[in-house]
Amino acid sequence: MSVVTGGSEAAAAAAGGGGGNRVFFQSPRGGGSSGSTSREDSVSAAAAVVQVQQRRHQQGKVTVKYDRKELRKRLVLEEWIVEQLGQLYGCEEEEMPEVEIDIDDLLDAANEEERALKLQETLVDCYKPTEEFIKELLTRIRGMRKLSPPQKKSI
């Protein structure tokens, strides 16, 4: 059973006078006259359209919060890092020891020397020379920006 509130004059007259808002009960779908069913269908269709528009609007907000170009650069860099670590450790990604290179952490470092030290500490157990990898990585992150988590707007 659905509840409809309204103050139409016809509904007020049918209820026996009184001009204020009244609550009317309608039978569930399929149990009423064809007029009320088509009205419910049109109300449901309108609600669905509004819901789809709201969903599209929300999706639009999400894509605006991040710079796609910056995300793409970050993804390409991360793929390059995985490939290079595979070569340094001489194994596939699944077999690689736990090595975590946090790009945002590197970007937080005060200067190139501090970034290089962080990378050397991370790669301390690598048996191959890491100087070229570190130099190339520092070159690639130059000019990148730190990604901040998305801001949630209160509604």
Side-chain angles (χ1 to χ4, degrees):
M1 181 178 289
S2 60
V3 178
V4 178
T5 60
S8 73
E9 295 164 16
N21 287 341
R22 301 208 187 274
V23 176
F24 302 96
F25 294 93
Q26 294 179 338
S27 60
R29 285 186 187 241
S33 68
S34 62
S36 67
T37 302
S38 66
R39 181 172 182 252
E40 287 178 16
D41 289 343
S42 65
V43 169
S44 296
V49 168
V50 168
Q51 197 173 29
V52 168
Q53 287 174 341
Q54 286 174 340
R55 210 175 295 135
R56 283 185 189 152
H57 183 66
Q58 289 171 345
Q59 288 172 348
K61 284 185 192 175
V62 172
T63 57
V64 170
K65 287 184 181 179
Y66 292 110
D67 180 10
R68 288 184 182 182
K69 189 174 181 181
E70 196 68 30
L71 286 173
R72 183 73 186 140
K73 285 169 56 176
R74 179 70 62 108
L75 179 61
V76 168
L77 178 63
E78 288 177 359
E79 290 171 348
W80 178 83
I81 290 172
V82 169
E83 179 185 319
Q84 295 300 308
L85 290 175
Q87 291 176 5
L88 285 173
Y89 284 95
C91 60
E92 296 295 318
E93 183 179 352
E94 297 81 29
E95 303 164 346
M96 197 177 309
E98 191 65 34
V99 177
E100 184 178 336
I101 297 177
D102 186 348
I103 298 169
D104 288 333
D105 187 41
L106 292 174
L107 292 172
D108 279 340
N111 54 39
E112 294 277 321
E113 291 79 26
E114 190 176 322
R115 291 175 182 161
L117 282 173
K118 285 183 179 195
L119 286 168
Q120 287 171 349
E121 291 171 4
T122 302
L123 301 170
V124 72
D125 61 342
C126 182
Y127 62 90
K128 290 185 179 178
T130 60
E131 292 80 22
E132 275 303 309
F133 168 73
I134 291 172
K135 202 181 323 179
E136 180 66 24
L137 179 56
L138 292 177
T139 302
R140 288 177 180 242
I141 67 170
R142 202 171 287 135
M144 289 184 83
R145 292 179 296 190
K146 185 176 175 184
L147 291 181
S148 59
Q151 304 280 326
K152 290 188 179 182
K153 293 184 178 182
S154 58
I155 296 174

